[in-house]
Amino acid sequence: EPEDHRSNFEKLKSSRWDHSTFDEIEPISILPEKAHYKVSFSRRTESGEAYLTGEIIYIASKREGRWAVCARSILRYQVKAKQ
C-alpha cells in the first residue's frame, strides 16, 4: 500500500521543523532530456538553526516538453543534537 505522505508531513510539522533549505546544488550530469543533481539540504527550526543536514540525488527528465523530478535518493543525513 502506498505511503501516506500527509501523515509524514504532520509528523514533520510536529517536530522542530519550520522550513527546509537547499544549501548547495551541484549538477552531476546535464543532458537535453535528463539531468542529475546532488543537493545539500537542511531542515531548520523557526529561528533558522539547522537541526538536520543531508545530501540527496535528484533525477529530472523532460517528457512532452515538461521537466519533472522522476527519482530521488538520499545519500546521507545527520541529525544534530538538541542544545
Side-chain angles (χ1 to χ4, degrees):
E1 184 171 306
E3 187 177 352
D4 184 354
H5 295 289
R6 291 172 297 207
S7 66
N8 285 341
F9 186 65
E10 291 302 319
K11 289 178 194 173
L12 185 60
K13 287 189 333 186
S14 69
S15 71
R16 296 184 283 166
W17 179 80
D18 179 75
H19 63 283
S20 298
T21 57
F22 284 171
D23 304 319
E24 185 178 347
I25 301 172
E26 176 187 341
I28 297 171
S29 174
I30 306 296
L31 301 170
E33 304 293 322
K34 191 174 186 181
H36 295 75
Y37 293 93
K38 180 174 143 183
V39 177
S40 298
F41 70 93
S42 298
R43 287 187 180 169
R44 299 185 178 274
T45 64
E46 187 175 8
S47 68
E49 174 193 358
Y51 71 89
L52 182 145
T53 58
E55 293 179 334
I56 190 167
I57 298 288
Y58 283 102
I59 301 171
S61 62
K62 188 176 182 181
R63 294 186 183 147
E64 299 177 6
R66 185 170 174 251
W67 283 93
V69 172
C70 59
R72 67 180 182 169
S73 179
I74 294 178
L75 300 174
R76 66 160 192 87
Y77 69 92
Q78 178 181 3
V79 178
K80 296 180 180 179
K82 286 185 179 182
Q83 295 182 357

